[in-house]
Amino acid sequence: MNMDIKINLKHIEVGSELIELVFGETTIRFYATYVGVEPLSTLIKSVVSLNDRAAENVDYAKFHIVWHSEPGFLKLNFRKNVITDIVVLKTESDTRTLHNLEIHFNFNEYRNAVIKESLRVLKEYGLKGFNENWCDGDNVFPLNSLLTALGTTCTQMPDSWVVKSDIIAELEALLAFLKK
């Protein structure tokens, strides 16, 4: 199931953002504001959650996002079959054109689209600049989640419960991805 998937953060400033999700012929455009969560960061977290198979049972992983505007909302309900890696996205919204959409797509294509746009946004705005534009604190962009989505790992220390990672290796990996 190949589908052209694109994530486009069209505009972000002063706690508002226009984001566009393109799944083949279906486009979801939403103007979100900081009365809710920042959209791109939630998409990054969805990749990590669906990839980690945080499942309610052995066959499916689920993740839910609610974006808000002034007024309005968009709820994205992801359900991934962990065997086939096919994701079903169903929407709920107070906007007729965004309500009751159902889209089926390959998880890895979605993951790649989210990572590609996340890296582009970091290049354009920087970490601090992105957070300042959303106007909701210093930790809006989930850098750790992006590193996880990029494949960085931790190591459990022998004979203990302590887990460690290498910050230098993580930063070098992030820099390598940003330079691509």
Side-chain angles (χ1 to χ4, degrees), residues 49-157:
S49 180
L50 293 171
N51 192 57
D52 285 347
R53 299 181 181 188
E56 294 174 7
N57 61 48
V58 294
D59 295 332
Y60 292 95
K62 295 180 180 181
F63 193 79
H64 307 285
I65 300 169
V66 180
W67 298 336
H68 290 91
S69 193
E70 298 174 39
F73 76 95
L74 174 62
K75 184 173 184 180
L76 305 171
N77 301 296
F78 295 86
R79 182 175 175 171
K80 177 186 157 201
N81 181 313
V82 299
I83 297 165
T84 65
D85 273 352
I86 299 300
V87 179
V88 177
L89 170 62
K90 293 184 179 182
T91 65
E92 298 173 43
S93 180
D94 57 348
T95 303
R96 190 171 43 95
T97 57
L98 297 178
H99 187 67
N100 259 357
L101 297 175
E102 183 172 313
I103 306 162
H104 299 247
F105 53 89
N106 178 279
F107 172 73
N108 285 320
E109 292 174 15
Y110 170 71
R111 176 189 165 274
N112 292 340
V114 170
I115 288 172
K116 181 179 178 181
E117 183 62 0
S118 300
L119 293 171
R120 185 198 68 78
V121 165
L122 276 179
K123 285 181 194 177
E124 182 173 342
Y125 295 99
L127 185 60
K128 186 154 178 58
F130 181 86
N131 290 327
E132 290 289 325
N133 277 309
W134 187 249
C135 301
D136 191 25
D138 291 330
N139 295 305
V140 175
F141 191 95
L143 188 57
N144 187 54
S145 293
L146 178 60
L147 288 170
T148 301
L150 290 170
T152 61
T153 59
C154 295
T155 303
Q156 185 167 349
M157 299 293 97

Side-chain angles (χ1 to χ4, degrees), residues 15-19 30-34 37-39 67-69 134:
S16 63
E17 172 177 319
L18 176 59
I19 191 160
F30 192 76
Y31 187 79
T33 64
Y34 64 91
V37 294
E38 188 281 319
W67 298 336
H68 290 91
S69 193
W134 187 249

